[in-house]
């Protein structure tokens, strides 16, 4: 069964450092998303991406965040200067016909 | 108005029992209501979803009941099994396909005792 894959599974970084989280969406999907889940809390929408541009973003997705689809298969989330409150599980998702498929997540710990 | 309110926060059910989780929403523009199941350390996985043109959808032991006038929907798990122990999230979105931005509830941790 096709799946969304994410790397790394866990990343520990120092506050102020740049982090790139990577995702390989399901191959025939056209819409891509990043969500995050702070420990013990609900899953929150960050950004959606279609046709090589952001289609929607939340208030959480400020100038420190960016997304890119550099090579037609990978979909990345970059956090330019991490803060303590960026510590969370980040989920990539992709969508073809209205159903979102989530990856297993990348846990980011900011020290 | 973008919120989805979910209850209860946690639920303990005996094996074979019925688990019921409820959600309420405000935004009448929402037209897609999925339920996601999440095991520890895993991403949310779609369990079952409904659109507001029907009042109930059943898939195996899982049923969604939808009340459009009350702006509420619920998940019923019949014959609950220990393997159903997980966190369940309701969600809502609008849009006919492709660019759904899901608004999630806060989740319900279900424990099914053997």
């Amino acid at each position: 069964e096709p799946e969304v894959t994410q790397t790394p599974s866990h990343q520990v970084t120092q506050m102020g450092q740049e982090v790139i989280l990577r995702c390989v969406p399901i191959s025939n999907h056209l819409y891509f998303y990043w969500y995050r889940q702070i420990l013990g809390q609900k899953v929150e929408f960050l950004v959606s991406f279609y046709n090589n541009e952001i289609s929607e973003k939340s208030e959480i997705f400020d100038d420190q965040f960016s997304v890119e689809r550099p090579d037609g298969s990978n979909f990345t989330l970059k956090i330019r200067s991490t803060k303590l409150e960026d510590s969370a599980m980040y989920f990539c998702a992709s969508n073809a016909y209205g159903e979102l498929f989530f990856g297993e997540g990348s846990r980011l710990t900011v020290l | 108005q973008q919120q989805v309110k979910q209850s209860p926060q946690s639920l303990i059910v005996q094996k074979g029992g019925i688990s019921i989780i409820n959600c309420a929403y405000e935004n009448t523009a929402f037209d897609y209501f999925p339920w996601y199941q999440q095991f520890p350390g895993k991403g949310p996985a779609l369990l079952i979803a409904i659109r507001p043109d029907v009042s109930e959808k059943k898939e195996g032991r899982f049923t969604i009941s939808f009340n459009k006038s009350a702006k509420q929907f619920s998940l019923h798990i019949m014959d609950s099994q220990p393997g159903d122990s997980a966190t369940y999230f309701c969600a809502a979105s609008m849009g006919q396909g492709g660019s759904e931005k899901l608004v999630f509830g806060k989740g319900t941790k279900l424990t099914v005792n053997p």
Side-chain angles (χ1 to χ4, degrees):
Chain A
E1 186 176 317
E3 58 182 16
V4 176
T5 57
Q6 290 185 241
T7 55
S9 57
H10 188 192
Q11 181 153 358
V12 182
T13 191
Q14 295 291 324
M15 191 169 56
Q17 294 297 304
E18 177 183 283
V19 160
I20 297 176
L21 305 178
R22 291 182 169 80
C23 169
V24 179
I26 295 173
S27 62
N28 62 342
H29 287 188
L30 302 176
Y31 295 85
F32 314 112
Y33 309 80
W34 285 99
Y35 284 78
R36 81 170 185 192
Q37 185 178 32
I38 295 172
L39 185 64
Q41 298 188 25
K42 66 179 178 179
V43 180
E44 298 175 291
F45 169 80
L46 290 178
V47 65
S48 58
F49 190 86
Y50 171 71
N51 201 25
N52 283 319
E53 60 182 27
I54 291 173
S55 50
E56 191 170 0
K57 60 184 181 180
S58 73
E59 59 275 10
I60 301 169
F61 194 88
D62 61 21
D63 291 344
Q64 293 300 313
F65 291 88
S66 62
V67 289
E68 197 175 38
R69 189 159 158 81
D71 57 12
S73 61
N74 289 285
F75 178 51
T76 62
L77 174 70
K78 182 193 287 187
I79 309 174
R80 257 179 279 279
S81 177
T82 50
K83 303 187 282 285
L84 294 176
E85 54 265 37
D86 293 328
S87 294
M89 185 74 101
Y90 288 81
F91 292 105
C92 174
S94 67
N95 176 347
Y97 303 106
E99 178 181 335
L100 258 64
F101 291 84
F102 285 85
E104 292 199 345
S106 292
R107 179 170 298 284
L108 176 64
T109 302
V110 182
L111 302 176
Chain B
Q1 217 193 12
Q2 287 292 330
Q3 281 189 333
V4 176
K5 294 182 179 179
Q6 183 172 349
S7 63
Q9 190 173 4
S10 63
L11 181 61
I12 299 174
V13 172
Q14 290 301 118
K15 179 181 174 182
I18 302 173
S19 304
I20 302 175
I21 305 170
N22 301 297
C23 282
Y25 63 97
E26 290 294 322
N27 190 344
T28 54
F30 286 144
D31 62 359
Y32 176 67
F33 303 91
W35 284 90
Y36 281 82
Q37 180 187 57
Q38 186 181 31
F39 293 105
K42 301 291 186 181
L46 180 67
L47 193 60
I48 186 172
I50 198 168
R51 293 199 182 266
D53 51 343
V54 296
S55 60
E56 186 175 282
K57 183 174 181 181
K58 184 175 180 179
E59 289 183 1
R61 297 185 292 111
F62 301 92
T63 300
I64 299 180
S65 297
F66 184 79
N67 186 330
K68 189 173 181 178
S69 60
K71 292 184 283 187
Q72 295 175 345
F73 58 110
S74 60
L75 175 70
H76 296 233
I77 305 173
M78 312 300 287
D79 187 26
S80 300
Q81 299 296 312
D84 297 330
S85 297
T87 299
Y88 292 81
F89 292 94
C90 63
S93 69
M94 50 192 142
Q96 289 304 308
S99 61
E100 280 89 352
K101 161 192 162 183
L102 289 172
V103 178
F104 281 85
K106 288 189 175 182
T108 296
K109 184 175 180 181
L110 172 65
T111 303
V112 181
N113 289 328

